Amino acid sequence: MNKLLITCLMAVGLCPIAASAQTRTVELKVIETSDVHGHFFPYDFIEGKDLKGTLARANTYINRQRQEYGDRLLLIDNGDILQGQPCVYWSNYVMPDDENLAARVINYMKYDAETVGNHDIETGHKVYDKWIREVRCPVLGANIVDTATQLPYVRPYALIERQGVKIAILGMLTPTIPCWLNESLWQGLEFQEMVSCARRWVKHIRQVEQPDLIFGLFHSGLNGGLTMDNGIEEDATQRVAQEVEGFDAIFFGHDHKVHNLMLKSPSGHDVLCIDPSCYVKNLAEATITLTYEGGRLVNKDIKGQIVDVRDEAVDQQMMAHFQSDVDRIKAFVERRIGTFANEASTRDSYFGNSAFTDFIHQLQLQITGADISLNAPLSFDSKISKGPVTVADMFKLYRFENQLCVLRMTGRELLGHLEMSYDQWVNTMTQPSDHLLLLNIDSRSDQQRMGFKNYTFNFDSAAGIDYEVDVTQPDGHKVSILRMSNGQPFDLDKVYKVVMNSYRANGGGDLIVRGGGIPKDSLNGRIIYQSELDLRHYLMEEIQRMGTVRPKAASNWKFVPEKWTKAAAQRDRKLLFVNR
């Protein structure tokens, strides 16, 4: 080939010598939200005040990035979007025939991919199946399997191409759903272990699709969490990153913690693992620079950062689009249903009988006619003020859409259940200066532990029995049940009707299984009543019937020895709630 011809071909980009040396660089931006829990708008429908963060603020930042990156920006969400703020309850259950509000928000913001979270499954087939149909982007879940076909119930992965870059996004959900939710909510589904599922699908993606990038979008925490008897883990993101070759980045969530770290794949490649935590206070962002030479990908540079959007300006255009929904939701939550004659706070629940917890106990016993009630504080620091009670207050009183269940339990099983609860709740005091509660003050910023070593939603107390908790005794020997609260003897061998929420009745928190010693596969056979609607609905009905409510702390249990525990409780209260 003569020099003149080479020069001409190079000028128009057709020379094979020039093409082989040509370098092309593409920069992509990926933004993840996770565990939104209905935090769409900058307004707290429960507390009746403005909210920091939320999707309406995040979208201001996202739109700025869209202006810079155009179609080189990918926006993905990681599930748990159908439960939380009253706006999603309103959409799921009050206005179920309308297009789901969460779907409309996802579509408005132009998400590129979505996964399913455990709290999305909690809404039941009728709600989440409709939501999946209404979402315009791919809804992913490789390890959510239809038992009838043995195929994924939703798409296992999405393929997206941007400026010649081929991207595969593999979605998965924490597989420990059966530990928390009754099978009626996920009938016809099974949830496969994540590591083996990821290995199988990544192999398929690499062989069939041959993408430039493979991302994970996992509704599963980094590590820890519960482990089922068959070895299936709740939080398996770290194991997938380190044991499955092929991922470039894993965007995850579920544990409500901020993570931004590099892990090593089996071959030693870096895998970005990033999690923005919950409630859209942050976004997880990856900036990815790809270098191609002669059309061949030769280098990937991936950097992650957590972007704080708590104080971003509100996207007014987005708010205008949804203003009629906001107005209707406000009208719903502001509806008065009764009156509280005095204040009730969850703060008291950690130190003994409390008006807040005991009111729920009282209503659970009234509604079902059970002998004994079990209940834990589901909100770390909430209160219902004296005066008018509205629908919004019901979300303070009861946080989740659990059903009401009555189970048959022996006295011995109940005692074991309570022993495990208090072992997670209180310290073993050896001197008066010790903590009463089992604390980890370093976890005060942890959205689930809030200064405790363990989850407060597993701190079950009981009503219908009188008992003492001796905090000087070793674990497993702290609880002494003295009598039934009606004065009758308590019998370890007698079968009692025990009311609790459906999360606990299905084995959630392991209290009834490990503590009570009831095999998981026999729990359904123990249930003699399960409500059709969520517990919050029945609480509202009962308050409306009562009109004026006078919640007060009972006196059926206490921590002993009181000469130690009362002073320790005062010290621990200050530690937990200072500056809150």
Side-chain angles (χ1 to χ4, degrees):
M1 187 179 294
N2 64 47
K3 290 183 179 180
L4 179 59
L5 180 57
I6 291 174
T7 302
C8 293
L9 290 173
M10 287 179 66
V12 295
L14 298 177
C15 179
I17 298 172
S20 65
Q22 188 179 22
T23 299
R24 183 172 76 98
T25 300
V26 180
E27 184 175 281
L28 303 173
K29 179 84 74 177
V30 184
I31 296 177
E32 178 209 13
T33 55
S34 186
D35 298 270
V36 171
H37 288 287
H39 286 66
F40 305 151
F41 312 119
Y43 183 77
D44 189 331
F45 293 99
I46 300 173
E47 300 292 345
K49 63 182 182 181
D50 290 343
L51 272 179
K52 289 182 175 290
T54 75
L55 290 179
R57 296 185 190 276
N59 206 40
T60 299
Y61 176 83
I62 292 165
N63 284 336
R64 286 205 305 270
Q65 299 305 304
R66 286 194 192 279
Q67 290 175 3
E68 179 179 351
Y69 283 86
D71 72 347
R72 291 179 291 117
L73 183 139
L74 275 68
L75 179 62
I76 56 180
D77 181 71
N78 197 33
D80 271 9
I81 197 170
L82 293 177
Q83 179 277 331
Q85 276 285 317
C87 58
V88 283
Y89 181 89
W90 173 81
S91 182
N92 295 344
Y93 306 111
V94 181
M95 307 296 293
D97 294 330
D98 290 357
E99 185 178 3
N100 192 282
L101 181 62
R104 289 170 52 212
V105 169
I106 290 166
N107 296 339
Y108 177 87
M109 293 178 63
K110 299 178 182 177
Y111 276 88
D112 293 292
E114 170 77 43
T115 48
V116 180
N118 54 293
H119 285 291
D120 302 323
I121 299 293
E122 185 178 64
T123 63
H125 267 292
K126 184 176 179 181
V127 174
Y128 63 75
D129 285 344
K130 176 175 173 288
W131 167 73
I132 289 168
R133 292 193 302 269
E134 292 170 346
V135 171
R136 292 184 197 137
C137 68
V139 177
L140 309 177
N143 66 330
I144 307 172
V145 173
D146 186 328
T147 55
T149 65
Q150 287 302 302
L151 297 173
Y153 189 69
V154 292
R155 291 173 59 171
Y157 63 91
L159 279 178
I160 298 171
E161 189 164 335
R162 298 290 167 85
Q163 298 204 357
V165 179
K166 194 173 184 180
I167 305 154
I169 304 175
L170 178 70
M172 289 198 293
L173 165 65
T174 178
T176 47
I177 300 292
C179 295
W180 307 315
L181 304 179
N182 188 273
E183 188 175 352
S184 62
L185 299 172
W186 46 272
Q187 190 170 19
L189 303 179
E190 64 179 77
F191 307 94
Q192 295 181 339
E193 186 271 330
M194 289 179 60
V195 176
S196 58
C197 181
R199 185 175 289 117
R200 183 171 67 255
W201 280 105
V202 168
K203 180 180 179 181
H204 170 87
I205 290 168
R206 296 175 81 179
Q207 290 179 347
V208 176
E209 310 293 357
Q210 298 179 352
D212 299 305
L213 294 165
I214 300 179
F215 299 151
L217 186 57
F218 300 165
H219 194 88
S220 175
L222 184 66
N223 52 36
L226 64 89
T227 301
M228 297 171 67
D229 291 341
N230 56 8
I232 289 179
E233 297 170 302
E234 174 184 2
D235 296 324
T237 295
Q238 181 172 341
R239 279 198 60 210
V240 173
Q242 294 178 330
E243 296 180 25
V244 180
E245 189 66 47
F247 286 102
D248 296 292
I250 297 175
F251 301 87
F252 67 106
H254 174 66
D255 58 7
H256 289 205
K257 297 178 182 179
V258 172
H259 300 281
N260 181 14
L261 68 162
M262 287 288 184
L263 298 175
K264 295 291 186 183
S265 74
S267 67
H269 286 101
D270 285 338
V271 182
L272 171 67
C273 294
I274 191 165
D275 174 353
S277 187
C278 55
Y279 310 147
V280 208
K281 295 179 180 178
N282 306 302
L283 302 174
E285 181 178 277
T287 304
I288 302 167
T289 305
L290 304 176
T291 303
Y292 294 84
E293 289 184 358
R296 186 172 63 90
L297 180 60
V298 295
N299 189 60
K300 304 175 186 179
D301 181 69
I302 302 176
K303 294 182 172 65
Q305 68 169 336
I306 301 296
V307 180
D308 186 336
V309 294
R310 286 175 295 178
D311 294 317
E312 274 286 348
V314 174
D315 181 343
Q316 296 299 337
Q317 188 173 349
M318 179 176 176
M319 289 307 300
H321 184 84
F322 290 101
Q323 190 59 53
S324 63
D325 298 292
V326 172
D327 294 340
R328 293 165 73 196
I329 297 161
K330 283 184 178 180
F332 165 67
V333 299
E334 290 170 1
R335 180 171 64 85
R336 180 172 175 171
I337 59 174
T339 302
F340 263 35
N342 51 278
E343 179 181 290
S345 168
T346 54
R347 290 189 178 192
D348 300 329
S349 304
Y350 308 109
F351 306 100
N353 281 115
S354 77
F356 195 103
T357 301
D358 292 335
F359 177 60
I360 297 176
H361 277 311
Q362 173 195 344
L363 293 188
Q364 289 189 159
L365 291 170
Q366 282 180 203
I367 293 166
T368 64
D371 304 310
I372 298 167
S373 170
L374 293 171
N375 179 48
L378 299 186
S379 297
F380 169 70
D381 187 13
S382 288
K383 70 176 181 179
I384 299 179
S385 299
K386 176 182 178 180
V389 176
T390 65
V391 171
D393 289 316
M394 293 298 96
F395 290 82
K396 304 175 191 176
L397 184 65
Y398 208 86
R399 183 177 172 189
F400 299 108
E401 279 78 76
N402 296 319
Q403 296 163 289
L404 197 59
C405 291
V406 177
L407 276 72
R408 292 177 293 107
M409 294 179 68
T410 67
R412 185 170 281 102
E413 290 165 344
L414 178 74
L415 176 61
H417 181 116
L418 289 173
E419 289 283 12
M420 182 174 175
S421 170
Y422 284 100
D423 288 348
Q424 296 181 84
W425 181 344
V426 297
N427 186 32
T428 300
M429 297 182 69
T430 60
Q431 56 188 350
S433 59
D434 285 345
H435 290 294
L436 168 64
L437 305 177
L438 193 56
L439 300 176
N440 176 12
I441 294 302
D442 290 341
S443 75
R444 288 182 82 242
S445 61
D446 184 326
Q447 295 290 330
Q448 297 196 72
R449 288 184 170 83
M450 306 298 286
F452 284 91
K453 181 178 179 181
N454 298 302
Y455 298 132
T456 61
F457 54 75
N458 287 328
F459 295 174
D460 272 4
S461 63
I465 55 173
D466 295 348
Y467 63 102
E468 294 179 341
V469 182
D470 188 340
V471 298
T472 66
Q473 297 302 307
D475 286 355
H477 301 277
K478 286 182 166 64
V479 179
S480 297
I481 300 178
L482 308 175
R483 65 189 73 84
M484 300 297 293
S485 293
N486 62 8
Q488 294 180 356
F490 178 80
D491 187 342
L492 288 174
D493 295 316
K494 183 176 179 179
V495 176
Y496 294 96
K497 294 181 293 182
V498 184
V499 60
M500 64 194 75
N501 66 42
S502 54
Y503 170 82
R504 190 71 78 230
N506 198 57
D510 278 350
L511 295 179
I512 198 167
V513 177
R514 286 177 48 213
I518 302 175
K520 178 75 169 65
D521 58 8
S522 70
L523 289 178
N524 276 342
R526 296 290 192 102
I527 296 174
I528 57 176
Y529 168 79
Q530 181 168 317
S531 65
E532 180 183 355
L533 301 175
D534 65 283
L535 177 54
R536 192 187 295 122
H537 170 85
Y538 298 101
L539 296 179
M540 284 194 287
E541 279 192 337
E542 197 67 15
I543 292 170
Q544 284 180 303
R545 185 190 65 79
M546 296 169 70
T548 297
V549 179
R550 292 176 172 80
K552 62 179 182 180
S555 56
N556 68 299
W557 74 273
K558 61 184 177 181
F559 291 123
V560 296
E562 290 184 279
K563 62 182 179 181
W564 285 16
T565 61
K566 286 187 175 181
Q570 291 179 348
R571 295 192 303 270
D572 287 352
R573 181 186 286 265
K574 289 180 181 178
L575 275 175
L576 281 174
F577 297 109
V578 65
N579 299 324
R580 291 193 187 274

